[in-house]
Structure formats: C-alpha cells, structure tokens
C-alpha cells in the first residue's frame, strides 16, 4: 500500500451497515470520489458504495498523481480485498480499466467479485493510439470538454486550471499508455454499459469485454454520450441491483 492506510484510498458517502452488498467504484479520468456521490445515494441503503480516491485531487491534492494503470491497480487491490464480502466493482471510462485490472489481481488471490461493471469503455485489448496528454493546455482541455461531464467555463479560471491539470494529464497518460497484458482475465460476470452517442466509443469495441471473462457477459446501451450515467442514473441503478439480485 506504499505507506497509505486503506482508508486513504476510499470514501463512503452513505454508510449502510445492513446492506447485503458492497460496491467499489472507480472514477473516470480527472474524476474524484465525489463524482459518485449521487450514485452512492441512489444505491443506498441496499448497496453500500465505496469510491476510490486517486492521489492528486481533492483531499489528496498534495500527493503525486499515479499515471500508470497497472501501478494504480496494484495500490487498489488490497483496498478491494479488505471490503466485506460479497462485493462488486464498477468503473466508468478510465475507471473501467482500473476495475478490470483490480479484478484480475483479486482473482489471482482467489477472491472473485460478484460482478464487474464496465461503463463507457472499450475492451481492454482494443488499442487506440492517442496522445492527448502531450498536447498544449488549450488543446488538451478542449478534448476534455468535448467528452462532456465537465463545465468548460471552469477552465477559464487560471487557479482552477492549475489545480485540475496535473490530475487530468496524469490520468489521460495512464489511459493512453495502458497496454493490456495477456494472461488470466476474470471469471466473474461482466456487465458493459455504454451511451449510444458517445463520441469516443464504438459499440463493437465494447463487445470486446466478452472475450475477457469466462463468466457471463451482458451489454446494455443507454441514451446519451460519454457521461450517460448522469441522465440515466435510475436505470443504471436498477440494472446494478438486478444483476446483483438485491431487492431495492
């Protein structure tokens, strides 16, 4: 854990001691634990949501950003393994790849999640050569804004830009330099979620997740773009509860 206590890596906004299931959620590039606050509220008290807080943002602003998915997964696997059982994993965009790599490491230890939900992300071995993290600030932030999910006017404030850029660049580097390492994948069920108007995602690439589990695979497409979760929260929550066979 590189000297960090497990609690420094997760936030739980809605404690639910009587919940029958825990869900560990991994944020998108540039995202923080607070991105899942509404998601957590919608699942509580049936499912208790714990959200990863990556270094370099919010209350971990003073820590160096981890710009390698494999290194990040190594840091988070102990956090996941310490959760009360049963638990599932959920990741959006960059978080989907983080969740997948955490799940692989968990299963190598004999710990099998109840399910892995991968949202707004192509399968792990579908490579797209991109280098947005190397662009100048304006070009880079225009790309970030193009995906939605971030009010572009906040980048007009130089102080906010200065605070946000290191985590954004580090996360984009992590995603754009990620390479799938052949080897055992997962045996847990995988559920892929996507928006039908996502500007950076082709639905056949989402189907690639099917090749990376020996368990069941399901895919559901929602109305919306890269951040379709915001407009489909109730439907996504119902999908999660249904898959985890937990009654709301």
């Amino acid at each position: 854990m590189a000297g960090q206590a497990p609690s420094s890596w997760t936030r739980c906004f809605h404690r639910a001691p009587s919940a029958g299931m825990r869900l560990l959620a991994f944020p998108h590039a540039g995202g923080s634990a607070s991105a899942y606050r509404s998601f957590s509220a919608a699942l509580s008290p049936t499912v208790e949501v714990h959200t990863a807080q990556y270094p370099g943002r919010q209350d971990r602003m003073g820590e160096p950003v981890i710009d390698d998915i494999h290194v990040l997964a190594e840091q988070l696997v102990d956090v996941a393994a310490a959760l009360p059982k049963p638990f599932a994993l959920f990741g959006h965009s960059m978080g989907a790849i983080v969740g997948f790599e955490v799940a692989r490491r968990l299963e190598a230890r004999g710990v099998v999640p109840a399910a892995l939900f991968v949202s707004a992300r192509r399968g792990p071995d579908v490579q797209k050569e991109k280098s947005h993290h190397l662009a100048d600030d304006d070009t880079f932030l225009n790309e970030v804004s193009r995906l939605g999910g971030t009010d572009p006017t906040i980048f007009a404030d130089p102080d906010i830009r200065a605070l946000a850029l290191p985590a954004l660049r580090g996360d984009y580097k992590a995603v754009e330099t990620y390479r799938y390492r052949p080897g055992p994948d997962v045996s847990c069920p995988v559920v892929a979620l996507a928006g039908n108007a996502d500007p950076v995602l082709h639905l056949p690439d989402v189907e690639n997740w099917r090749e990376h589990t020996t368990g069941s695979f399901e895919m559901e497409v929602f109305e919306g773009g890269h951040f379709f979760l915001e407009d489909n929260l109730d439907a996504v929550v119902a999908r999660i509860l249904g898959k985890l066979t937990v009654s709301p």
Side-chain angles (χ1 to χ4, degrees):
M1 291 290 295
Q4 290 287 341
S7 60
S8 74
W9 280 90
T10 60
R11 305 291 176 267
C12 184
F13 300 113
H14 304 90
R15 291 286 175 188
S18 61
M21 179 72 65
R22 270 72 187 172
L23 183 72
L24 179 57
F26 303 97
H28 60 280
S32 59
S34 61
Y36 283 114
R37 190 181 292 273
S38 296
F39 181 79
S40 171
L43 282 164
S44 181
T46 311
V47 174
E48 184 177 80
V49 177
H50 297 253
T51 303
Q53 183 76 302
Y54 308 143
R57 64 216 73 204
Q58 291 188 333
D59 54 347
R60 301 190 71 183
M61 185 70 73
E63 300 174 47
V65 175
I66 297 176
D67 58 9
D68 183 300
I69 295 291
H70 294 287
V71 173
L72 191 56
E74 288 290 345
Q75 295 292 307
L76 284 160
V77 65
D78 287 339
V79 177
L83 285 174
K85 314 301 187 291
F87 67 84
L89 306 176
F90 183 102
H92 184 79
S93 195
M94 167 184 159
I97 289 294
V98 176
F100 170 68
E101 290 294 344
V102 169
R104 295 178 88 183
R105 287 160 173 79
L106 285 170
E107 294 208 11
R109 299 182 181 189
V111 179
V112 181
L116 170 64
F117 297 89
V118 288
S119 173
R121 178 69 193 183
R122 61 183 177 271
D125 63 349
V126 180
Q127 298 298 328
K128 305 286 184 180
E129 297 300 326
K130 295 181 180 180
S131 56
H132 297 300
H133 69 282
L134 298 175
D136 64 82
D137 289 353
D138 288 339
T139 303
F140 175 63
L141 292 176
N142 283 339
E143 171 61 22
V144 173
S145 298
R146 183 172 75 92
L147 295 182
T150 303
D151 181 354
T153 62
I154 70 172
F155 295 133
D157 185 316
D159 293 330
I160 293 178
R161 279 170 65 111
L163 288 172
L165 273 168
L168 279 167
R169 280 194 186 279
D171 288 355
Y172 265 69
K173 179 182 178 182
V175 172
E176 292 176 347
T177 61
Y178 169 78
R179 294 296 180 268
Y180 169 77
R181 297 174 180 172
D185 287 324
V186 298
S187 64
C188 66
V190 172
V191 179
L193 311 174
N196 63 359
D198 191 322
V200 296
L201 196 63
H202 300 290
L203 295 182
D205 292 341
V206 181
E207 285 276 358
N208 175 260
W209 284 106
R210 184 188 301 273
E211 307 302 318
H212 295 282
T213 180
T214 57
S216 64
F217 172 79
E218 301 167 43
M219 177 174 164
E220 185 163 352
V221 180
F222 296 85
E223 293 288 331
H226 194 66
F227 288 93
F228 67 90
L229 289 178
E230 298 174 1
D231 296 323
N232 295 275
L233 182 60
D234 290 344
V236 171
V237 165
R239 187 72 179 82
I240 292 170
L241 295 177
K243 183 60 181 177
L244 298 179
T245 62
V246 179
S247 299

